Amino acid sequence: MQKSGKSVMAWNVFKFCTALRALGSIMIVLVLGIIGVTYYVIVVANYGPALFRGGLDSFVAFLILVLFHSLLVMLLWSYFTTVLTDPGGVPPNWRPSIDEESGDADPLVGLGYEGMDLGLNQLATFGEPANPQLRVCRKCNQFKPPRCHHCSVCGRCILKMDHHCVWVVNCVGALNYKYFLLFLFYTFLLTTLVTLSLLRLFIAFFTDGVINGTPGTLVATFVTFVLNLSFALSIMGFRVMHISLVLGNTTTIEAFEKKTNPKWRYDLGRRKNFEQVFGLDKRCWFIPAYSEEDLERMPVLRGFEYPTRPDLDGLQQH
């Protein structure tokens, strides 16, 4: 009976993951559709025509349009970089190397090993608690680097996996986490700008204020305000959560693991934790890219190696 219950659960998870894969391009079309309607309402229907009215209205319209287009460019850049960037996978023949003297695993050196077939018995041996630095994924049948987790939707292990996001149709992991955070940041700023820009029109719907435009334009304006307000409020909470995760050098998955062990070996202090995600080069903090210098001098950006606190090195890796 218990075995049957497990089978049903596994089947439900499989169907859920299959549904998420099927969403794929639909979510991208949905995102672009929302952006398209918002662009029409802000630029074409309202603030574009206001540019030619003269006086203060033209000045305000100019400022809003400049801000809107600037944030829109950064949002789209961050969004498609997140969508198109591989979050970081484990090479098929990756193996941790063992320092024969200390017994420590070096996640980077093992990249040169050629294939070795691992049976389930061997996996059980390598993954035993007595040797916690050697981690194995039973689904992929291979070793896992530190902070790596298996994604059932992608069907593979993801380096420093945070979560699988349906909005970006991709996993959020070591190689695109910064881009995802910037996508949230610019989406919050843009939706807040749109909400404030349309607030007076929204208020006019429920007062005696005069609103110019066709019925279709008025409906689009109303829907755009509600959508952008909803996104701004929801993303604000999401941003606060991810800011706390970045400052604690934690992923969404690891946040649940930390509940059983509050001492986190990867927490190096807020400044260093932030730099592990955004890099050392301040010029690149607000763009979805890393400088060549940071990529060369920061192995952590490649997703295989993470410095730890010396006083907590004895704790088990996750």
Side-chain angles (χ1 to χ4, degrees):
M1 191 74 178
Q2 184 179 0
K3 193 171 184 180
S4 175
K6 288 183 178 179
S7 299
V8 172
M9 182 185 299
W11 175 245
N12 289 337
V13 171
F14 173 77
K15 289 195 294 185
F16 176 71
C17 294
T18 303
L20 287 182
R21 292 191 197 103
L23 282 174
S25 57
I26 298 176
M27 296 305 297
I28 296 178
V29 171
L30 178 60
V31 170
L32 294 179
I34 295 172
I35 291 174
V37 172
T38 301
Y39 190 90
Y40 169 78
V41 170
I42 291 293
V43 179
V44 179
N46 289 287
Y47 288 96
L51 278 174
F52 305 99
R53 294 175 188 166
L56 183 60
D57 286 347
S58 294
F59 179 71
V60 171
F62 175 77
L63 288 180
I64 290 176
L65 290 174
V66 169
L67 282 174
F68 177 82
H69 283 92
S70 300
L71 292 174
L72 180 60
V73 168
M74 296 307 300
L75 184 155
L76 291 173
W77 185 9
S78 301
Y79 177 71
F80 282 107
T81 304
T82 307
V83 171
L84 299 174
T85 299
D86 190 313
V90 183
N93 299 322
W94 184 88
R95 300 185 66 205
S97 67
I98 304 299
D99 187 325
E100 294 181 358
E101 295 183 2
S102 65
D104 292 335
D106 183 352
L108 286 176
V109 180
L111 290 171
Y113 280 83
E114 296 300 330
M116 172 183 283
D117 295 329
L118 299 175
L120 292 178
N121 293 333
Q122 290 172 296
L123 294 181
T125 302
F126 285 126
E128 63 185 4
N131 198 358
Q133 291 191 355
L134 290 177
R135 302 168 63 242
V136 176
C137 176
R138 296 182 181 275
K139 294 181 180 179
C140 296
N141 201 37
Q142 68 174 26
F143 288 108
K144 290 197 299 186
R147 312 184 74 178
C148 177
H149 292 83
H150 185 88
C151 175
S152 298
V153 180
C154 296
R156 61 179 180 139
C157 286
I158 302 297
L159 300 176
K160 197 185 175 185
M161 178 181 173
D162 187 87
H163 69 289
H164 187 94
C165 180
V166 295
W167 289 100
V168 301
V169 200
N170 198 1
C171 254
V172 176
L175 305 188
N176 66 349
Y177 186 44
K178 173 189 173 182
Y179 313 149
F180 175 75
L181 295 178
L182 289 176
F183 166 59
L184 291 182
F185 176 67
Y186 290 117
T187 300
F188 173 74
L189 292 182
L190 185 63
T191 53
T192 301
L193 173 66
V194 171
T195 300
L196 295 176
S197 301
L198 299 179
L199 181 60
R200 63 178 181 81
L201 297 175
F202 183 78
I203 294 175
F205 276 108
F206 303 98
T207 62
D208 296 330
V210 178
I211 307 178
N212 298 320
T214 64
T217 300
L218 298 181
V219 171
T221 300
F222 184 87
V223 171
T224 299
F225 176 85
V226 173
L227 281 176
N228 279 271
L229 176 62
S230 301
F231 280 121
L233 293 176
S234 60
I235 290 174
M236 179 173 62
F238 205 44
R239 280 185 63 248
V240 170
M241 182 191 79
H242 275 284
I243 288 172
S244 66
L245 292 177
V246 169
L247 296 181
N249 203 347
T250 311
T251 65
T252 300
I253 295 175
E254 291 169 344
F256 290 96
E257 296 175 348
K258 282 175 61 179
K259 288 182 179 179
T260 58
N261 186 9
K263 295 182 179 180
W264 189 236
R265 68 199 307 266
Y266 298 107
D267 186 357
L268 306 178
R270 293 185 174 184
R271 172 88 181 185
K272 291 183 178 180
N273 294 343
F274 177 86
E275 290 172 347
Q276 282 194 17
V277 176
F278 286 86
L280 296 171
D281 193 338
K282 296 179 181 179
R283 297 170 301 175
C284 296
W285 280 0
F286 293 98
I287 63 172
Y290 291 104
S291 66
E292 291 295 330
E293 292 81 4
D294 277 354
L295 292 174
E296 291 176 0
R297 64 186 171 182
M298 297 184 67
V300 69
L301 297 181
R302 296 194 286 273
F304 289 94
E305 180 182 19
Y306 296 95
T308 57
R309 291 170 54 181
D311 58 321
L312 299 178
D313 273 344
L315 296 181
Q316 181 173 340
Q317 272 181 283
H318 292 281

